[in-house]
Amino acid sequence: MTAQKITIEPVTRIEGHAKVTIHMKEDNTVDHAYMHVNEFRGFEKFCEGRLYFEMPEITPRICGICPVSHHLAAAKASDALTGQTPPRPANLLRELMHMGQIVQSHGMHFFELAGPDLLLGFDADPEIRSVVGLVGANPGLTVKAVMLRKFGQEIIKTLGGRKIHPVFALPGGVNKSLTSQERDNILKGVDTAIETLQVGLQIMKDWAEKNMEDINKFAVFPTGYFGLTTPENGLELYDGDIRLISREGKEMERFQVADYLDIIQEHVEPWSYLKFPFYKKMGYPDGVYRVGPLGRLNLAEKIDTPLANDELKIFKSLNNGKPVENTLYYHYARLIEALFATERVRVLCDDPDILSTDILNTHKNYTGHGVGVIEAPRGTLIHDYTADEDGKLLKVNLIVSTGHNNWAMSNAVDSVAKTYVKGPEIHEGMLNRVEAAIRAYDPCLSCSTHAVGQMPIQVEVLNPDGTLRQLMQRD
Amino acid sequence: MCLGVPGKIVGTYEKGGLHMAKVDFGGIFREACLEYVPEAQVGEYCIIHVGFAISVLSESEALETLELLRQIGNIEEELGEEPVQSIPRYQP
C-alpha cells in the first residue's frame, strides 16, 4: 500500500504539508513518533541573482500567509545591507503595520482555528469541529472575530495600499506617511478590538479551568526560549537585540541579530528537509529552543502596555515564575500578545512623530551584507543577504519561525502520541490531538488547498518491523 | 516557509450561516470560507489559509504570483526527487 499522493499541477506540488510517522512497539504502545515537514527548498536559490531591493516585494508574494512579516524583515535586511538607517517616524510606521499583522493573524488563529478545538472539544465530529460548528454554537463570536481581523487588516491596507502585496517599506524607510484622518480612523477601532480580545481571554481561561488535566499532560516539555527583547527585557516584536534563555529561565545569550550565526546552528536529520536550529554552545538536541508567543512571553519580564502586562503577570504565575512549558498555553500567550499589539497601536498613533513626513533616509553607506529580523506572529524570522557591489544577491539565508519550532513540534507530536495512543487502532480523536499539538505552534505549512479549519496532515502508523499498519490522511 | 497559492473563485453559496466559495486550484476544487473577504467576487482569485480566504487578488496579480511559483517549482525539480523516502527507526 502506498500513500496517496495528490498532485495538483502546476504549482501546488511544492506546497508544504506535515507528515506524522508513529512507530509502534510489540505491545501496541508507541515507540516513537515524528513530524516531518515537506519544506520546499528552492526559494533561497530562486532569490540569488536578483537585486536586494526586489526582496521586500518578492518575499511577501511567495508567502501569502504572513506577507507583512517577510516584507518588513526584507526591508530591515536591506537597510543594513545599504547602511541606510530609517528615520524614527519610518520605524514607527513599519511597527504600526506590523502590529496590524499581529492582531489579525493571532485573532484569526485563536477564534477560527483553535476556537473549535477549545469550544467544541477534541473529540467532536470533524464535520462540526470547525468554524461551521462554531457559528452554530456561538454566532456572535464569529462576527466579533471577523471585525477583529478587519481592524488589523485595515491598518495594513492604510499603510501598504489596497493591493494584497504590501508596497510600503523600502531600504532606508517607507514610501508613505500617515495622515491625521487615517490615524484617527485606526484609533476608532482600538477599544472594540480590546473588548473582543478580552472575550477571547475569558474563553481561554474558562477552558483552561475545565481542562487542566489535558493542559498538563499534553506536550509539556522543557526547551530554551528565543526572541527579540526591549533593552529592559520587555516584550518586543519589531526591533531589538535577541535574547536566549535556558529552560530554567536564565539568560544564556543576548546579542545583535547580525551575530546570529555565532549563537545558533542548524542540525540536519535524515528524515526531514526542514532543518533544526539549536544553541551552538549546548549542542543538539540539548540546545533546542522554542519561538513564537509562548517563547516570547517566557522571555519577557514585563510588557510595556498596561492590560497586556496584567495578563502577563497571570501567565507568569502558571509555573511559579519559571518558563511555561505547556504547548496548549501557546493559545493563551497568543491572545496576550494580540492585546499588547492592539494597545501598542494606540501608543504608536499617539506618538507625535507618527504623522511626520521624514520617512526615508536616502544616504547610503553600502556594506553588501545585511541581516534583518522581526518577530513574525509565529516567531522569529531572519533574513540574511549578501550582495555584490552592484546589489546582486550572492547568498540568501532565511530562517523562518516554523524552522525554529521544528524540533518542538516533532517532540510535541511524539509526546501526544505516547500519551494518547492506546491499543492497536488509531482513532479520529487521536488524530485531532496530533493536529492540535501541531496547530498550537501555528506553523506556516501551506494550507491553500486544504479543508476549512484543517491542516494538511498525513499520519502513518508503522508496525515494529517497519511495515505500514494504518494510514490516515486529511487533505 | 509556506506558499500562498492563489485559487480562482468559481462559485459562492451559503453554508451553516457562512458565506462560502468553491475555489479552483488548477483543476482541484476546494471549499473556502469567505467571511473575511466579503467583497470577493466570482472570477477573482484568493489566497486561502486553512480553508479561509484571507485576501483577494486581481487576475493579473494572481498570474504574476503563479508565474513566480512556477519558476520556484522548476528549481525544486532541478534539485531532484524528495530524499526523504524512508523513515529510519528512532535511535535513542
Side-chain angles (χ1 to χ4, degrees):
Chain A
M1 185 177 171
T2 52
Q4 183 197 356
K5 196 165 180 181
I6 299 169
T7 317
I8 307 166
E9 293 298 331
V11 292
T12 40
R13 66 188 168 200
I14 48 174
E15 265 201 329
H17 60 265
K19 187 171 163 191
V20 169
T21 306
I22 303 174
H23 291 268
M24 302 300 288
K25 290 198 269 199
E26 295 290 352
D27 63 359
N28 285 328
T29 58
V30 172
D31 185 78
H32 199 82
Y34 297 91
M35 183 194 86
H36 16 150
V37 176
N38 258 344
E39 175 81 348
F40 74 106
R41 304 158 295 158
F43 187 65
E44 286 157 340
K45 197 159 181 278
F46 167 80
C47 295
E48 287 161 14
R50 290 177 177 271
L51 298 165
Y52 70 86
F53 54 78
E54 291 181 87
M55 293 298 277
E57 209 205 324
I58 291 174
T59 48
R61 270 182 189 280
I62 303 306
C63 177
I65 312 303
C66 51
V68 171
S69 306
H70 282 284
H71 179 62
L72 295 178
K76 289 180 76 177
S78 303
D79 294 339
L81 191 145
T82 59
Q84 289 168 269
T85 308
R88 183 171 185 272
N91 274 327
L92 295 177
L93 289 166
R94 286 182 182 181
E95 187 182 350
L96 181 61
M97 179 184 246
H98 186 44
M99 293 303 109
Q101 161 92 344
I102 295 280
V103 174
Q104 65 94 354
S105 175
H106 279 3
M108 181 172 161
H109 185 274
F110 182 80
F111 288 102
E112 313 296 16
L113 302 179
D117 282 341
L118 303 187
L119 293 171
L120 307 170
F122 292 129
D123 294 310
D125 182 336
E127 286 291 308
I128 299 168
R129 199 182 50 86
S130 75
V131 69
V132 179
L134 202 55
V135 174
N138 194 340
L141 191 62
T142 314
V143 175
K144 283 194 170 84
V146 167
M147 294 312 290
L148 181 66
R149 180 168 191 272
K150 197 166 177 217
F151 167 72
Q153 205 61 20
E154 279 301 313
I155 296 174
I156 298 168
K157 284 183 178 170
T158 300
L159 295 168
R162 296 283 137 181
K163 298 217 163 170
I164 169 190
H165 306 296
V167 185
F168 172 61
L170 60 166
V174 297
N175 65 4
K176 183 193 174 306
S177 57
L178 190 70
T179 68
S180 58
Q181 195 189 345
E182 287 168 338
R183 177 198 59 189
D184 295 346
N185 280 340
I186 291 171
L187 280 169
K188 272 184 210 158
V190 170
D191 286 335
T192 311
I194 287 175
E195 277 167 34
T196 301
L197 288 164
Q198 302 280 26
V199 170
L201 282 159
Q202 197 55 49
I203 290 171
M204 179 68 212
K205 287 175 190 169
D206 292 345
W207 180 82
E209 207 179 293
K210 289 188 207 122
N211 294 275
M212 206 40 90
E213 194 192 330
D214 257 337
I215 289 176
N216 286 328
K217 69 176 192 184
F218 191 103
V220 184
F221 50 86
T223 57
Y225 302 95
F226 182 100
L228 287 177
T229 181
T230 69
E232 300 83 29
N233 295 345
L235 177 64
E236 174 62 52
L237 301 174
Y238 175 70
D239 198 27
D241 285 346
I242 291 181
R243 264 181 105 210
L244 174 64
I245 62 167
S246 69
R247 50 183 67 179
E248 291 82 25
K250 295 210 173 65
E251 182 170 296
M252 298 193 289
E253 297 287 348
R254 188 189 184 95
F255 59 97
Q256 293 188 329
V257 61
D259 301 328
Y260 78 102
L261 287 175
D262 296 336
I263 308 296
I264 61 169
Q265 194 178 326
E266 291 182 284
H267 177 79
V268 177
E269 289 280 7
W271 44 271
S272 174
Y273 273 144
L274 193 58
K275 295 171 188 168
F276 296 81
F278 64 96
Y279 176 38
K280 268 186 178 180
K281 275 188 195 160
M282 286 176 72
Y284 179 86
D286 290 345
V288 294
Y289 56 83
R290 283 185 270 185
V291 300
L294 187 86
R296 290 187 291 240
L297 291 201
N298 278 331
L299 282 170
E301 290 168 8
K302 61 170 184 160
I303 298 180
D304 292 331
T305 60
L307 297 173
N309 195 48
D310 288 346
E311 286 295 335
L312 181 72
K313 287 177 190 159
I314 302 171
F315 178 87
K316 292 281 176 193
S317 71
L318 294 171
N319 197 20
N320 303 315
K322 294 253 170 89
V324 175
E325 298 177 345
N326 317 53
T327 291
L328 286 173
Y329 277 136
Y330 259 93
H331 299 304
Y332 185 29
R334 197 167 279 124
L335 284 169
I336 298 173
E337 285 195 336
L339 187 59
F340 161 70
T342 308
E343 291 186 282
R344 184 75 187 147
V345 166
R346 178 139 56 201
V347 173
L348 290 166
C349 285
D350 285 345
D351 193 300
D353 275 352
I354 201 79
L355 300 179
S356 166
T357 51
D358 177 21
I359 52 173
L360 188 62
N361 172 15
T362 53
H363 180 73
K364 284 187 188 171
N365 185 13
Y366 192 85
T367 65
H369 179 238
V371 183
V373 65
I374 197 158
E375 287 296 327
R378 294 155 179 83
T380 314
L381 171 65
I382 300 172
H383 280 218
D384 180 354
Y385 308 155
T386 306
D388 67 13
E389 57 213 20
D390 299 323
K392 199 156 103 182
L393 290 165
L394 303 170
K395 192 167 182 296
V396 171
N397 189 30
L398 307 182
I399 303 184
V400 301
S401 48
T402 301
H404 294 290
N405 276 337
N406 195 11
W407 183 89
M409 286 189 285
S410 193
N411 196 57
V413 164
D414 180 56
S415 162
V416 167
K418 282 175 178 160
T419 307
Y420 294 97
V421 172
K422 303 270 184 270
E425 285 280 312
I426 307 285
H427 301 286
E428 184 71 26
M430 158 64 201
L431 192 61
N432 291 345
R433 282 176 173 80
V434 166
E435 190 183 349
I438 301 171
R439 201 204 318 275
Y441 294 87
D442 193 13
C444 52
L445 301 171
S446 184
C447 309
S448 313
T449 60
H450 301 280
V452 176
Q454 295 196 347
M455 298 207 312
I457 187 170
Q458 189 191 69
V459 178
E460 208 177 55
V461 185
L462 301 184
N463 291 312
D465 64 1
T467 54
L468 185 71
R469 176 185 296 187
Q470 192 181 350
L471 184 71
M472 298 179 85
Q473 180 152 322
R474 291 224 178 109
D475 51 51
Chain B
M1 68 196 279
C2 68
L3 293 173
V5 181
K8 190 173 188 174
I9 301 172
V10 293
T12 60
Y13 53 96
E14 294 290 315
K15 181 180 169 186
L18 294 171
H19 190 34
M20 305 294 284
K22 189 174 168 189
V23 183
D24 178 4
F25 290 91
I28 298 281
F29 294 93
R30 295 289 182 195
E31 180 175 61
C33 175
L34 289 186
E35 286 294 318
Y36 286 121
V37 286
E39 73 278 15
Q41 301 290 328
V42 171
E44 287 183 317
Y45 286 74
C46 57
I47 292 203
I48 295 179
H49 178 49
V50 280
F52 294 89
I54 54 171
S55 45
V56 183
L57 293 80
S58 68
E59 182 157 24
S60 64
E61 281 182 300
L63 295 180
E64 270 177 51
T65 299
L66 286 167
E67 177 52 32
L68 286 175
L69 293 172
R70 242 171 240 130
Q71 291 174 24
I72 295 170
N74 291 339
I75 294 173
E76 292 292 313
E77 286 199 345
E78 283 166 26
L79 289 172
E81 270 295 299
E82 297 181 11
V84 183
Q85 294 295 338
S86 63
I87 306 307
R89 205 167 160 74
Y90 177 63
Q91 300 291 340

